[in-house]
Amino acid sequence: MSIKQNAGNPLKIQDNTFRDGHQSIYATRMTTEDMIPIAEAMDEVGFWAMEVWGGATFDAMHRFLGEDPWERPRILKRHIKKTPFSMLLRGQNLVGYRHYADDVVRAFVDRACAIGIDIFRVFDALNDLRNIETCAACIKANGKHFEGAVVYSLTERHLGGEVFNLSYYVSKAKSLEEMGADSICIKDMAGIMAPYDAYELFTELKKAVKVPLHLHTHYTSGMGSMTCLKAVEAGVDIVDTCVAPYAMRTSMPPVEPLLLTLEGTERDPGMQMSRLLEIGKYLESIAPRYQKHLAANTLSLIDENVIAHQIPGGMVSNLVSQLKEMNALDRLPEVQQEIQVVRKEAGMPPLVTPTSQIIGSQAVMNVLAGRYRTVSNQFRDLLFGLYGKTPAGIDPQVREMALRGSGQGIWITDRPANHLKPEMEAARRKLGDLARTEEDLLTYVLYQTSGEQFLKWKYGAEPMPEGVRPGDAR
Ligand code: CO
């Protein structure tokens, strides 16, 4: 039976096994070498796209795997010729953790296009779309697919309330369409989107915008597969999944049950299930190499913290290690309470990199040292507007208290990158011969310390230590 014949409006699926899958559960350690044996089979499955780059991969590759991050898409492209490649780009933060100047953003996007990235999913932690303007313009100028993403955040258990309600997401989607987005993604990085909220949200988004809609959700709370299904019923065009051994837990819903569920329906993606079973078998055979990175502190595959506090898993483990160091692990419940308060006072930023760390550390300091007795520089920057405009207003009393005595200037209300000087030329002069290509230079600008170290390994100026090389995961 040809499944395709039944398909009226087939769902499209983006595979995330080579990016978010191992980033979410295996600490981003999957090597390019381990991807190659299934690359051709993956190309035959019929995915709409495969996400292979961006997010934390750039960081992990040059720092822990001794791999030149720029090479991975080029190598994979030799084996995957039909399926487009996508990447996750953190707007003005690119694949790093701070805002880079516009000249860096343009150079990065140009090089990413040149090495074979076809689809760019671009988001900003605060959903401040001014922080993705430069990326978007450059992606469009290269004739590539610009997928605008809205970070999904909540203040209560369900969609609604004062800030993150239906009209918030609809208006962000409309703005992205006006910016020229070729598709729009709702990015639920913490896995907190409930199935019926997804149904309501995608039903309304379908009415509001014309471009295809894409759902990225995580399995973290245990709702992921149900959420995908309800989004499919509401007409979502594309969803993200992983192949089973790289799915569930804090990763994405698995692709196989979704295909079985939709088989013979009008949303049947019509994909090659037999190929997926082969691929799954291979991934099972290599997964033990990465297993040491798997969180093994609970038997439960779901994270109760996300259900109770909407604090993403990664953020909880950061807090736990921070508190352990200070010998104050018993204060964790207080810190979890304080996070909600600090987040509100700081204008309700979504809890995603880097805002999750900023809010989390400030909450720890508030609990241990007294409220805003010590203020981190990053928290100060957030209040100064240097990360962009927060979704809600910042508490004026807290702003004054936190900024008192900082000696810094005034807060800004325009696009943060307007205040950044070009970086590329200065880096070129500083690095001299160590950067032989534009890609080398970008590696250094993005990650000054570890990037420079990587270039020394790459060109043999220093030997690569044991344990930092593609064999590390073994
Ligand atoms: Co994700």
Side-chain angles (χ1 to χ4, degrees):
M1 179 185 84
S2 164
I3 291 166
K4 271 219 160 113
Q5 284 170 356
N6 295 334
N9 174 25
L11 176 69
K12 299 179 177 77
I13 295 185
Q14 170 167 300
D15 177 76
N16 235 306
T17 306
F18 287 178
R19 207 283 295 173
D20 211 356
H22 67 104
Q23 177 175 327
S24 296
I25 55 178
Y26 300 124
T28 330
R29 295 299 205 279
M30 192 180 190
T31 61
T32 307
E33 194 190 346
D34 273 347
M35 296 174 184
I36 293 171
I38 44 167
E40 267 115 22
M42 290 288 275
D43 199 20
E44 294 300 324
V45 173
F47 292 117
W48 175 74
M50 286 171 66
E51 189 158 304
V52 299
W53 213 53
T57 58
F58 198 101
D59 187 355
M61 287 175 78
H62 85 278
R63 200 189 295 264
F64 304 120
L65 303 180
E67 283 192 47
D68 190 338
W70 300 96
E71 290 297 327
R72 179 172 289 173
R74 266 199 286 259
I75 294 168
L76 291 176
K77 210 76 177 180
R78 284 180 221 139
H79 304 270
I80 301 169
K81 298 192 165 115
K82 295 183 283 197
T83 313
F85 283 178
S86 63
M87 78 166 288
L88 179 68
L89 198 57
R90 304 181 186 127
Q92 207 76 24
N93 290 19
L94 298 173
V95 292
Y97 303 102
R98 66 172 173 93
H99 277 197
Y100 300 98
D102 287 332
D103 67 327
V104 182
V105 173
R106 289 191 199 99
F108 182 91
V109 172
D110 284 347
R111 285 318 302 160
C113 292
I115 61 168
I117 303 300
D118 305 292
I119 299 166
F120 292 76
R121 174 179 296 166
V122 194
F123 79 99
D124 173 65
L126 296 180
N127 285 326
D128 183 341
L129 303 184
R130 299 171 306 174
N131 291 334
I132 68 175
E133 271 171 18
T134 305
C135 286
C138 198
I139 294 161
K140 301 292 279 184
N142 275 283
K144 301 293 183 182
H145 184 119
F146 161 47
E147 177 165 276
V150 188
V151 163
Y152 188 74
S153 190
L154 295 171
T155 53
E156 35 220 273
R157 184 79 57 96
H158 284 285
L159 180 65
E162 303 256 296
V163 188
F164 300 109
N165 47 39
L166 202 50
S167 63
Y168 174 88
Y169 292 106
V170 168
S171 94
K172 291 290 174 193
K174 281 183 173 164
S175 305
L176 284 168
E177 193 174 47
E178 280 162 25
M179 283 173 76
D182 299 294
S183 58
I184 291 166
C185 175
I186 304 295
K187 176 180 156 61
D188 175 24
M189 64 282 155
I192 55 176
M193 188 188 290
Y196 288 103
D197 289 343
Y199 188 82
E200 191 185 6
L201 177 59
F202 284 100
T203 301
E204 289 307 308
L205 288 173
K206 267 284 157 200
K207 292 181 204 157
V209 295
K210 290 189 191 68
V211 295
L213 297 175
H214 195 154
L215 170 63
H216 175 80
T217 189
H218 285 247
Y219 207 84
T220 320
S221 67
M223 296 189 287
S225 293
M226 294 185 276
T227 299
C228 270
L229 186 59
K230 292 307 287 184
V232 169
E233 288 178 8
V236 76
D237 298 277
I238 316 156
V239 299
D240 278 15
T241 61
C242 286
V243 181
Y246 279 51
M248 301 176 80
R249 299 177 189 266
T250 50
S251 177
M252 264 117 280
V255 62
E256 300 86 346
L258 190 62
L259 293 188
L260 287 174
T261 303
L262 297 176
E263 196 168 19
T265 71
E266 63 162 6
R267 301 304 313 271
D268 190 331
M271 285 169 35
Q272 297 268 349
M273 191 61 146
S274 54
R275 292 274 180 187
L276 281 169
L277 298 179
E278 274 168 45
I279 292 165
K281 225 180 256 172
Y282 168 80
L283 290 172
E284 277 294 340
S285 77
I286 59 157
R289 291 178 201 160
Y290 301 106
Q291 206 167 1
K292 66 177 177 197
H293 298 292
L294 202 61
N297 51 334
T298 61
L299 279 178
S300 171
L301 296 187
I302 65 165
D303 179 355
E304 296 81 36
N305 279 296
V306 157
I307 295 172
H309 314 285
Q310 294 163 17
I311 299 174
M315 187 173 170
V316 175
S317 52
N318 277 345
L319 290 174
V320 167
S321 65
Q322 221 176 322
L323 288 170
K324 255 189 203 157
E325 266 174 42
M326 298 171 181
N327 223 352
L329 192 54
D330 58 316
R331 313 289 294 271
L332 184 63
E334 282 170 81
V335 170
Q336 283 173 332
Q337 284 280 298
E338 179 65 10
I339 285 172
Q340 317 295 342
V341 183
V342 172
R343 186 184 174 212
K344 188 156 190 243
E345 289 167 341
M348 214 55 99
L351 298 177
V352 61
T353 303
T355 42
S356 48
Q357 290 87 333
I358 300 173
I359 299 294
S361 328
Q362 190 58 49
V364 169
M365 288 192 262
N366 284 3
V367 166
L368 297 185
R371 306 206 75 228
Y372 302 112
R373 293 279 291 278
T374 316
V375 178
S376 77
N377 287 336
Q378 285 178 311
F379 189 77
R380 205 165 265 145
D381 285 349
L382 181 65
L383 300 194
F384 264 127
L386 292 174
Y387 287 93
K389 191 176 187 308
T390 49
I394 293 170
D395 185 316
Q397 261 180 312
V398 168
R399 172 141 61 188
E400 201 175 306
M401 186 161 41
L403 301 182
R404 196 182 301 141
S406 75
Q408 293 186 50
I410 45 156
W411 57 79
I412 63 159
T413 54
D414 61 335
R415 192 181 69 106
N418 290 350
H419 299 261
L420 300 175
K421 287 192 190 71
E423 300 179 57
M424 293 293 280
E425 280 318 309
R428 202 185 304 274
R429 279 196 301 274
K430 184 167 181 290
L431 219 53
D433 290 345
L434 191 56
R436 300 194 189 164
T437 65
E438 190 80 352
E439 293 169 5
D440 291 341
L441 192 64
L442 281 161
T443 301
Y444 168 74
V445 173
L446 289 166
Y447 287 97
Q448 304 217 319
T449 311
S450 56
E452 186 171 359
Q453 179 64 66
F454 173 77
L455 294 177
K456 286 178 183 162
W457 295 335
K458 179 178 171 182
Y459 293 116
E462 278 177 25
M464 200 179 285
E466 276 297 312
V468 183
R469 55 179 193 188
D472 170 52
R474 292 169 181 82

